[in-house]
Every structure is written in structure tokens, then in C-alpha cells.
């Protein structure tokens, strides 16, 4: 019997019989590592020497002045190696793989960010690495595919279903079933069967632990509100985790796409369109139609369009502990422009959702209040999408010229 864990009615571990012993092994290894103080020390050590931790907390003085409301602080997960909080999770799981004595890692990836992070970790630790990626995503995310391959990973195109992230997850599980002995599956967010939601948020909790110390050091008190974007939920849980027992309002921001009333969005918890179901080994809110068919999601931010969400966040919503909002593509691009011009910071399109929601609320807060925004990643990776969205004519000319060079 595999050990399971529920968060209220959400979570669990709905697995094919053949994977039960592998999950048992993982649950045990994770438990032992968590109870071993030397493990977290080793984790912090590698994160500081390899991934710039602790990441700074930046006071956004110009944005604060511009809005005239609460004082705005930004937690800089964009400064991690590979450009996002994903490094926290993959490096943690990498150390666990070493402890388990396995030699190969596999992962799913949608936008490619988790794939690049996993391929990077595999190169550093000397593991063989296979990344499953939907054919549609491979076509959309060529720069990330390029880097995964240069890093030594094999990128396997997934041709099943709608050929996107959820199909890549299914394919990764299929691989695992046939290669359990030497292979670990590095899941990218706080979703999936137990122990992934707990394990991924454990590694991401480094964000909140640092942020809490940092804000107390600079302001002598806790923030009124914390904003984080929500894809699968790992960066949000990472920063929220240290503040759950404090009187700090926690705000999760989902992808509003074209707007909640258009059906073209990825808001599982902030809209009325999400329903509870069981898929991909766990129970949570999914965007699905009445037959339980998964719906297509839409967002300008590729990293936010997953059909499910962390079971831990589903419970925190039910308990009213986290408030869920959404920001539309348009609001996100405006927030991104403003942050670039006022602070010289380039949030990822995913992170810009948290900024957009914070900007809607910050003018109504008092000047004595403090808010904290999690900048989960950097936006340089989004240059193709952002340049298209801003219809930059010189950029279009550059791309056309490149295309002509290749044709010649
Ligand atoms: C992947 C990604 C996300 C979404 O994942 P979570 O698990 O919800 O954190 C958010 N921001 C960035 C920069 C990402 O790369």
C-alpha cells in the first residue's frame, strides 16, 4: 500500500499498481531527507554556490511613489540560475536522486522552463536526462529545446492527445513504469500524486523562509499582503508557506487570458469554471467540461496554462486562507511595461500576473502598509511573445531578415 496524503478532500495518490513500490521508495527517501538536518544544509549550500541564494528582496521605490499607496517589495526569484524559482525544486530533487542512488532523470515540460532547469541539474549532477515535451510546445518553444539539447538532454516529442503539457506528463509516467529501477521523475510543480505536492513545496519554501527574514530586517514587521502568480502553484506555495500562520493576506493570481467571461483563460480557482476531479494521479480543481474532458487553457504566459492546480492551494482556497484573483493578458502586458520603465526589472510574463493584481490594489492601501510581490522569474525568455504583443516593427523586420538569410 502506497502512503498517501490528502489536503482536505484534495490530493491523494491515484496510481497504477506497478508504480506503487517506486512511490513508496520516494516517500521514504523524502521523509528521511526531510528529517536529516544535514540534507537541508547541503541543499542551502548548493543553492548559494550554484543559484545565487539567498535571492535579494528589492524595495521598488519608484513604483511605490508612482502609486502612492503601500510600500512595494519584490522577492527576486528571477536571479536564480536558469532564471526562475524552478531551480529550487530541481536542485532539491537532484540531491534526493543522489541519495536514492539513481542515475537517470526524466521530466515533463510545457513552456520548456522546467525542462531547461532539469537538464541543467542533470548536467551538474552527471545524470542521464530525458525530457518529454508536446509536439505543439516544441514548435512554440524552440529556444528552450535548443538549450535542453545543448545541455545534453534528450528531448522526446509527444504526439498523443493535444500534444501539450498534460500529454507530456502522461508520457513521462509511461517511461517511469518501464524504467523505475534507475530513473526518477522530476515533476515540475506542486501537483501530481503524493509526495510531489508536499515535496515540491518543501523545496520552494526556501523562498518564504528568506523573504520573512528579509522583510523583518528591512521594515521591522511583516507585510500586509503577498502576491504570487499561480500555474501549478509551486512559487506561490513557496513564498506563502512561511506566512500561513501570520496575519498576512495571501493572494494567488491566475491567468485571466482574454477575460474570465470569454472561456479563454486558465483560472481554475479564481473563476467559476473549475470543477473538482481526479486526473494525472491526484484530486484537485481542473478546467474540464461536464464529461470530464480537459479543456484547453489560454494565457499569454506559457507557464501558467496547466489545467489543474496544486491540491494544497485547492484546500487553502476552500479554507479562505488564500484569496484567488486573475489578471488578463492585457493587464499583464501593461504591468510588465510599467515595471520595466519604473524599476528596470524584467518580470517573466508569469510573474507579471502577480504584479498586475498588486497594481490594481496597491493605491487603496495605506502608506504604512507593505506588500510583497514574488517575481518568480525573468522575462528575457519571453522576448518573442512580448515583442509580438507590443507589435514592435523593428523586431518584426529583424525576424523577417533572419528568415530571408536562412532561405538564401
Ligand atoms: C513555471 C513558472 C511559473 C508557474 O509555476 P508554479 O508552479 O505555479 O510556480 C511561474 N513563473 C515562472 C517564471 C515559471 O517559469
Amino acid at each position: 500500500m502506497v502512503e498517501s496524503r490528502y489536503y482536505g478532500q484534495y490530493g491523494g495518490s491515484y496510481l497504477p499498481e506497478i508504480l506503487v513500490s517506486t512511490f513508496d521508495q520516494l516517500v521514504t527517501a523524502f521523509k528521511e531527507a526531510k528529517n536529516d538536518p544535514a540534507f537541508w544544509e547541503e541543499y542551502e549550500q548548493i543553492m548559494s554556490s550554484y543559484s545565487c541564494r539567498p535571492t535579494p528582496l528589492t524595495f521598488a521605490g519608484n513604483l511605490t511613489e508612482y502609486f502612492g499607496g503601500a510600500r512595494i517589495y519584490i522577492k527576486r526569484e528571477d536571479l536564480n540560475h536558469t532564471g526562475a524559482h524552478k531551480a529550487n525544486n530541481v536542485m532539491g530533487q537532484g540531491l534526493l536522486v543522489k541519495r536514492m542512488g539513481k542515475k537517470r532523470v526524466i521530466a515533463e515540460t510545457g513552456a520548456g522552463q522546467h525542462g531547461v532547469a532539469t537538464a541543467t541539474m542533470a548536467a551538474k549532477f552527471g545524470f542521464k536526462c530525458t525530457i518529454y515535451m508536446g509536439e505543439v510546445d516544441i514548435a512554440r518553444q524552440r529556444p528552450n529545446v535548443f538549450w535542453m539539447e545543448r545541455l545534453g538532454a534528450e528531448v522526446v516529442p509527444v504526439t498523443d492527445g493535444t500534444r501539450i503539457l498534460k500529454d507530456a506528463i502522461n508520457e513521462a509516467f509511461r517511461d517511469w513504469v518501464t524504467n523505475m529501477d534507475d530513473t526518477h521523475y522530476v515533476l515540475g510543480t506542486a501537483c501530481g500524486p503524493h509526495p510531489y505536492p508536499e515535496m515540491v513545496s518543501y523545496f520552494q519554501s526556501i523562498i518564504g523562509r528568506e523573504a520573512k527574514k528579509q522583510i523583518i530586517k528591512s521594515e521591522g514587521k511583516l507585510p500586509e499582503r503577498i502576491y504570487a502568480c499561480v500555474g501549478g502553484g509551486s512559487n506561490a506555495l513557496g513564498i506563502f508557506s512561511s506566512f500561513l500562520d501570520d496575519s498576512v493576506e495571501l493572494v494567488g493570481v491566475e491567468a485571466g487570458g482574454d477575460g474570465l467571461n470569454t472561456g479563454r483563460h486558465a483560472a481554475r480557482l479564481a473563476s467559476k469554471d473549475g470543477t473538482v476531479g481526479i486526473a494525472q494521479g491526484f484530486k484537485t480543481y481542473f478546467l474540464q467540461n461536464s464529461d470530464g474532458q480537459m479543456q484547453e487553457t489560454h494565457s499569454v504566459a506559457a507557464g501558467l496554462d496547466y489545467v489543474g492546480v496544486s491540491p494544497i492551494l485547492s484546500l487553502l482556497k476552500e479554507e479562505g486562507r488564500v484569496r484567488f484573483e486573475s489578471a488578463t493578458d492585457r493587464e499583464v502586458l501593461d504591468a510588465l511595461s510599467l515595471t520595466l520603465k519604473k524599476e528596470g526589472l524584467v518580470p517573466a510574463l508569469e510573474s507579471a500576473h502577480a504584479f498586475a493584481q498588486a497594481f490594481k490594489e496597491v493605491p487603496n492601501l495605506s502608506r504604512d502598509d507593505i506588500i510583497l510581490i514574488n517575481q518568480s522569474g525573468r522575462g528575457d525568455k519571453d522576448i518573442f511573445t512580448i515583442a509580438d504583443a507590443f507589435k514592435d516593427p523593428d523586431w518584426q523586420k529583424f525576424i523577417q531578415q533572419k528568415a530571408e538569410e536562412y532561405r538564401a
Side-chain angles (χ1 to χ4, degrees):
M1 240 293 284
V2 70
E3 183 195 287
S4 193
R5 179 165 174 192
Y6 282 86
Y7 306 89
Q9 61 160 313
Y10 312 104
S13 186
Y14 300 84
L15 293 171
E17 189 58 34
I18 190 165
L19 274 172
V20 165
S21 63
T22 303
F23 268 79
D24 272 336
Q25 185 196 15
L26 179 60
V27 167
T28 306
F30 172 58
K31 236 191 238 167
E32 282 172 8
K34 208 177 153 181
N35 291 329
D36 176 1
F39 181 76
W40 185 265
E41 256 169 51
E42 186 186 9
Y43 173 63
E44 276 192 333
Q45 202 283 325
I46 196 153
M47 292 314 287
S48 77
S49 65
Y50 192 64
S51 193
C52 295
R53 299 217 74 95
T55 59
L57 189 67
T58 301
F59 175 59
N62 299 331
L63 283 170
T64 297
E65 195 180 321
Y66 177 81
F67 286 110
R71 295 164 67 73
I72 303 171
Y73 280 85
I74 299 171
K75 180 63 172 161
R76 301 291 307 283
E77 291 305 298
D78 57 307
L79 295 178
N80 274 293
H81 182 41
T82 70
H85 70 292
K86 294 206 163 65
N88 305 331
N89 171 40
V90 298
M91 295 306 286
Q93 290 198 44
L95 289 178
L96 205 58
V97 174
K98 275 209 321 195
R99 265 176 97 102
M100 291 189 289
K102 293 190 171 182
K103 302 276 181 272
R104 175 174 177 260
V105 291
I106 56 174
E108 85 293 348
T109 197
Q113 291 301 111
H114 176 57
V116 171
T118 303
T120 301
M121 176 274 279
K124 165 83 177 156
F125 288 145
F127 302 141
K128 278 180 70 180
C129 181
T130 304
I131 305 293
Y132 289 93
M133 190 167 184
E135 234 178 16
V136 170
D137 288 327
I138 287 185
R140 286 194 289 213
Q141 307 287 344
R142 180 49 58 182
N144 282 335
V145 177
F146 174 85
W147 283 121
M148 283 183 260
E149 290 178 345
R150 299 283 88 66
L151 286 158
E154 182 197 5
V155 181
V156 178
V158 174
T159 53
D160 281 0
T162 41
R163 297 170 290 144
I164 58 172
L165 177 60
K166 65 174 172 50
D167 311 297
I169 295 175
N170 293 336
E171 203 56 42
F173 271 110
R174 246 167 256 152
D175 176 313
W176 209 12
V177 166
T178 42
N179 300 292
M180 290 176 292
D181 291 344
D182 72 335
T183 299
H184 172 72
Y185 177 11
V186 184
L187 213 142
T189 187
C191 288
H194 179 67
Y196 285 104
E198 181 185 341
M199 183 167 68
V200 175
S201 35
Y202 173 71
F203 291 127
Q204 295 294 357
S205 73
I206 196 166
I207 307 172
R209 294 180 201 215
E210 289 175 6
K212 192 169 192 173
K213 276 190 219 141
Q214 290 167 320
I215 195 76
I216 288 174
K217 186 155 181 248
S218 40
E219 289 279 349
K221 62 170 188 168
L222 295 178
E224 263 62 37
R225 285 185 200 164
I226 302 177
Y227 296 87
C229 66
V230 177
S234 71
N235 86 89
L237 284 163
I239 194 158
F240 292 166
S241 59
S242 287
F243 301 89
L244 286 172
D245 297 329
D246 301 311
S247 71
V248 174
E249 193 182 1
L250 306 173
V251 186
V253 189
E254 295 185 303
D258 290 344
L260 294 192
N261 53 4
T262 64
R264 286 171 55 77
H265 62 78
R268 298 125 311 172
L269 296 174
S271 79
K272 301 219 178 319
D273 299 349
T275 50
V276 178
I278 297 171
Q280 305 201 306
F282 73 118
K283 185 174 181 183
T284 195
Y285 275 86
F286 289 97
L287 287 172
Q288 54 195 340
N289 64 22
S290 47
D291 309 330
Q293 284 280 0
M294 292 302 157
Q295 268 167 17
E296 263 189 61
T297 53
H298 171 82
S299 172
V300 69
L304 296 187
D305 62 1
Y306 178 50
V307 288
V309 69
S310 176
I312 308 176
L313 286 177
S314 289
L315 176 62
L316 289 168
K317 172 183 159 99
E318 193 173 288
E319 294 175 340
R321 182 62 193 92
V322 176
R323 168 160 65 92
F324 287 89
E325 303 286 354
S326 64
T328 63
D329 290 352
R330 187 69 255 160
E331 291 166 339
V332 164
L333 290 165
D334 289 346
L336 178 62
S337 283
L338 191 68
T339 307
L340 274 159
K341 295 217 168 93
K342 290 283 172 200
E343 297 291 346
L345 296 177
V346 195
L349 282 166
E350 290 82 4
S351 322
H353 284 70
F355 286 72
Q357 187 60 31
F359 294 170
K360 290 183 221 170
E361 300 180 10
V362 71
N364 302 323
L365 290 168
S366 126
R367 280 166 192 268
D368 298 328
D369 289 342
I370 301 163
I371 67 161
L372 188 56
I373 304 172
N374 197 28
Q375 183 171 345
S376 54
R378 62 174 151 82
D380 321 32
K381 68 176 174 69
D382 299 322
I383 186 163
F384 290 92
T385 315
I386 296 173
D388 279 350
F390 288 116
K391 300 194 168 55
D392 184 307
D394 292 329
W395 173 263
Q396 287 170 357
K397 232 178 276 161
F398 165 73
I399 295 288
Q400 273 158 4
Q401 207 177 320
K402 271 278 164 213
E404 267 153 41
E405 274 169 39
Y406 283 124
R407 229 172 281 137

